[in-house]
């Protein structure tokens, strides 16, 4: 009988955590495990990852309909029914509820959660401590940057022994373009949600310093990702205009086929204040 693994995440969207958990599910299946994926919200990008999830069971627990306590109770039932060897939870909502559900189920399982914030704006608030209280019930806490590990050690030292540092991986094959119909353009492609954690101001200052050379070479700068913070988007728009970059900067918005975006790049850029490879040009 195959050993069961339970993966829990808020939803399957376009972010890196969602791609990671889908690739993790596929790898567990390849290794011979029985994998169940649990989500709390409508997963608009699930079809995009369907090729990775062909042998993965999917359970959606509607947080909107059940509320927190109803969702916790249903997740507890899933744990009791599946009796997983391990429960792996990504992102804040999942990482908060999964350890509690496993405790309520009195499950003999390893609980692995993720911590993806580093309190870059100073000391954490009371709500930050409250939202991480259930991490005391986890067996391991995965951080994907050393800055996050440092934040845990500095502000929540009682969790330090549980922390494991596992940086995000990059699939270099995505950038090869072999056999793909798209033609590489003269484009600098940036990818990520429009949010202060991505530090687009720093990126814009770098682009401004070489803007004349980019114009001479007819290079466009294209940013792909959803607008998660409208006030920050307006701030970045102002900075683009102040640096006279409106003629070379293009907002691509959220895209469903990221391979087309990657293959259109002469240079791929990933900026971040929080994640494992901040401000890196690949």
């Amino acid at each position: 009988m195959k050993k069961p693994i339970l993966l829990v995440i808020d939803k399957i969207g376009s972010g890196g955590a969602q791609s990671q958990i889908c690739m993790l599910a596929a790898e567990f299946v390849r290794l011979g495990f029985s994998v169940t994926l649990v989500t709390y919200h409508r997963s608009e990008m699930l079809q995009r990852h369907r090729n990775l999830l062909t042998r993965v069971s999917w359970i959606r627990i509607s947080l909107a309909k059940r509320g927190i306590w109803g969702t916790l109770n249903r997740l507890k039932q899933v744990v009791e029914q599946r009796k997983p060897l391990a429960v792996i939870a990504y992102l804040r909502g999942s990482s908060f509820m999964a350890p509690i559900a496993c405790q309520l189920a009195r499950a003999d399982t390893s609980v692995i959660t993720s911590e993806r914030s580093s309190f870059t704006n100073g000391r954490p608030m009371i709500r930050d401590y409250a939202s991480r209280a259930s991490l005391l019930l986890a067996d391991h806490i995965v951080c994907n940057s050393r800055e996050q590990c440092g934040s845990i050690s500095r502000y929540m030292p009682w969790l330090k022994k549980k922390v494991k540092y596992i940086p995000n991986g990059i699939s270099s094959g995505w950038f090869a373009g072999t056999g793909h119909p798209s033609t590489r353009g003269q484009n600098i492609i940036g990818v990520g949600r429009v949010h202060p954690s991505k530090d687009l101001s720093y990126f814009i200052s770098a682009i401004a310093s070489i803007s004349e050379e980019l114009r001479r070479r007819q290079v466009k700068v294209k940013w792909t990702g959803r607008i998660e913070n409208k006030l920050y988007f307006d701030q970045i728009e102002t900075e683009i205009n102040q640096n006279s970059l409106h003629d070379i900067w293009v907002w691509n918005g959220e895209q469903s086929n990221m391979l087309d975006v990657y293959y259109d790049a002469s240079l791929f850029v990933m900026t971040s204040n929080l994640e494992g490879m901040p401000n890196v040009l690949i």
Side-chain angles (χ1 to χ4, degrees):
M1 184 178 177
K2 294 182 177 181
K3 295 179 179 179
I5 298 287
L6 191 66
L7 303 178
V8 187
I9 194 167
D10 292 2
K11 65 177 182 177
I12 302 299
S14 59
Q18 290 87 346
S19 295
Q20 283 183 29
I21 206 165
C22 290
M23 289 187 284
L24 190 61
E27 183 64 12
F28 274 127
V29 169
R30 188 187 70 80
L31 293 172
F33 291 91
S34 171
V35 180
T36 301
L37 174 67
V38 176
T39 62
Y40 300 144
H41 302 290
R42 181 176 175 271
S43 297
E44 67 276 6
M45 300 294 286
L46 189 66
Q47 191 61 40
R48 166 188 162 192
H49 297 284
R50 183 62 68 184
N51 62 317
L52 293 173
L53 304 174
T54 52
R55 290 183 287 168
V56 174
S57 301
W58 178 42
I59 298 174
R60 182 190 169 196
I61 304 173
S62 177
L63 180 61
K65 290 181 179 179
R66 293 176 179 267
I68 292 177
W69 297 114
T71 300
L72 264 175
N73 185 58
R74 178 67 183 113
L75 184 57
K76 166 183 168 288
Q77 293 172 355
V78 172
V79 171
E80 290 172 337
Q81 294 163 2
R82 303 289 169 134
K83 296 179 172 58
L85 181 69
V87 175
I88 303 174
Y90 270 60
L91 302 183
R92 182 58 38 75
S94 313
S95 295
F96 178 78
M97 285 194 271
I100 298 174
C102 290
Q103 192 75 10
L104 291 173
R106 298 182 180 180
D108 183 17
T109 183
S110 293
V111 181
I112 304 168
T113 64
S114 68
E115 174 53 46
R116 306 179 75 85
S117 297
S118 55
F119 313 119
T120 53
N121 295 323
R123 292 184 59 85
M125 308 291 285
I126 292 176
R127 65 174 180 271
D128 294 315
Y129 287 106
S131 68
R132 291 164 177 80
S134 69
L135 296 182
L136 288 166
L137 305 175
D139 296 293
H140 303 286
I141 303 168
V142 174
C143 293
N144 66 347
S145 80
R146 295 200 182 278
E147 188 174 352
Q148 291 163 355
C149 292
S151 291
I152 291 289
S153 298
R154 190 176 306 114
Y155 298 118
M156 301 178 184
W158 52 88
L159 296 175
K160 184 177 178 180
K161 291 184 178 179
K162 298 175 183 280
V163 170
K164 304 291 182 183
Y165 168 56
I166 303 178
N168 288 346
I170 293 289
S171 177
S172 58
W174 284 8
F175 304 98
T178 305
H180 195 273
S182 296
T183 301
R184 287 182 184 272
Q186 292 296 309
N187 299 311
I188 296 176
I189 300 294
V191 173
R193 58 202 172 106
V194 182
H195 185 272
S197 67
K198 297 303 180 183
D199 202 355
L200 288 177
S201 292
Y202 188 84
F203 180 46
I204 286 171
S205 66
I207 293 298
S209 69
I210 58 171
S211 59
E212 290 308 312
E213 181 66 15
L214 295 180
R215 289 187 181 92
R216 188 179 71 79
R217 293 176 178 268
Q218 297 184 322
V219 175
K220 294 291 185 181
V221 181
K222 299 181 179 180
W223 190 269
T224 298
R226 70 180 181 275
I227 300 172
E228 190 165 295
N229 185 311
K230 182 61 167 59
L231 287 176
Y232 186 67
F233 173 78
D234 292 340
Q235 173 193 324
I236 296 304
E237 277 276 77
T238 299
E239 291 177 17
I240 289 170
N241 289 328
Q242 286 174 343
N243 286 280
S244 302
L245 299 177
H246 53 275
D247 60 321
I248 60 174
W249 184 282
V250 178
W251 292 108
N252 265 347
E254 191 169 9
Q255 301 293 314
S256 60
N257 190 341
M258 289 305 297
L259 288 181
D260 283 341
V261 175
Y262 295 144
Y263 292 149
D264 198 32
S266 301
L267 180 69
F268 175 76
V269 180
M270 184 174 71
T271 67
S272 178
N273 281 331
L274 304 179
E275 293 155 317
M277 297 179 67
N279 303 323
V280 169
L281 302 184
I282 300 177

